[in-house]
């Protein structure tokens, strides 16, 4: 696997080795030893896998948990999304900064979003399916949402028209004062 640093050093883009021919392809999507060695530099335990399907124009996020914080290893198995990680660690030199990466079934990239980040994505294809591993269990009691379009963050979403949002995401909080 090839690991690329982003503008936020803890957020990584992972490019798996893909072996393909006229029959299709094979790739290793997860290897504990390589991940810890090349990405986190520490022991990392995943406890939950999630699968999300959405249609074009859906924006989900920006989500985080105030307790049971989650690191996420995200990849797209069908379609394409613009995936975003926002640093909400108050003592971080990159606090309030964001990284956005196109993930697709074609490029097969994965994004490592460590604990202490809000996460969201926007579907740019007709549909998209994401699968992601989490380092902690989902706990709705501690889930929070930051407004996707907060001007303080200035995320440059590749949006055409109005995004489709859940009620929870429409009612997200402003970024000002949010931190872990």
């Amino acid at each position: 696997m090839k690991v690329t640093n982003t503008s936020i050093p803890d957020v990584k883009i992972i490019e798996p080795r893909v072996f393909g021919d006229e029959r299709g392809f094979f790739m290793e999507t997860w290897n504990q030893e390589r991940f810890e060695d090349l990405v986190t530099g520490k022991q990392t335990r995943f406890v939950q896998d999630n699968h999300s399907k959405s249609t074009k124009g859906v924006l989900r996020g920006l989500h985080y948990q105030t307790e049971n914080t989650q690191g996420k290893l995200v990849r797209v198995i069908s379609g394409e999304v613009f995936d975003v990680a926002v640093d909400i660690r108050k003592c971080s030199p990159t606090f309030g900064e964001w990284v956005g990466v196109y993930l697709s079934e074609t490029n097969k990239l994965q994004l490592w979003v460590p604990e202490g980040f809000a996460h969201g994505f926007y579907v740019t294809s007709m549909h998209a399916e994401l699968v992601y591993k989490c380092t902690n269990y989902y706990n709705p009691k501690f889930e929070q949402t930051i407004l996707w379009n907060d001007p303080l963050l200035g995320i440059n979403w590749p949006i055409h028209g109005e995004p489709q949002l859940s009620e929870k995401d429409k009612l997200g909080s402003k970024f000002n004062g949010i931190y872990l």
Side-chain angles (χ1 to χ4, degrees), residues 125-153:
S125 57
M126 290 309 290
H127 73 277
E129 291 189 52
L130 287 81
V131 292
Y132 55 100
K133 303 176 101 38
C134 298
T135 60
N136 211 330
Y137 297 103
Y138 172 67
N139 190 330
K141 191 162 84 172
F142 298 112
E143 184 180 35
Q144 299 291 317
T145 302
I146 300 171
L147 281 173
W148 66 276
N149 61 350
D150 189 311
L152 191 59
L153 294 175

Side-chain angles (χ1 to χ4, degrees), residues 8-126:
I8 300 176
D10 293 332
V11 178
K12 309 282 187 191
I13 299 169
I14 301 163
E15 183 178 351
R17 289 184 65 197
V18 179
F19 303 92
D21 58 27
E22 68 280 351
R23 300 170 298 152
F25 71 89
F26 170 84
M27 69 180 190
E28 182 178 78
T29 62
W30 169 246
N31 182 303
Q32 182 87 29
E33 189 174 274
R34 283 194 189 112
F35 184 80
E36 291 173 352
D37 196 37
L38 298 173
V39 179
T40 64
K42 64 180 183 177
Q43 186 175 16
T44 304
R45 179 176 163 246
F46 289 104
V47 299
Q48 180 177 321
D49 281 2
N50 296 327
H51 187 144
S52 171
K53 182 175 182 178
S54 303
T55 57
K56 185 175 184 130
V58 168
L59 192 150
R60 296 185 186 272
L62 300 159
H63 303 145
Y64 68 98
Q65 292 183 176
T66 56
E67 293 187 31
N68 306 101
T69 58
Q70 296 177 308
K72 297 176 181 176
L73 180 60
V74 185
R75 68 186 177 100
V76 170
I77 60 171
S78 177
E80 180 185 75
V81 304
F82 183 70
D83 203 76
V84 173
V86 178
D87 190 347
I88 59 173
R89 302 169 299 171
K90 186 176 184 181
C91 296
S92 170
T94 56
F95 175 71
E97 294 181 23
W98 61 273
V99 168
V101 176
Y102 284 95
L103 304 177
S104 72
E105 68 180 299
T106 304
N107 69 24
K108 297 178 179 37
L109 297 177
Q110 298 179 49
L111 187 66
W112 167 239
V113 181
E115 293 90 348
F117 284 75
H119 175 255
F121 63 88
Y122 175 74
V123 179
T124 58
S125 57
M126 290 309 290

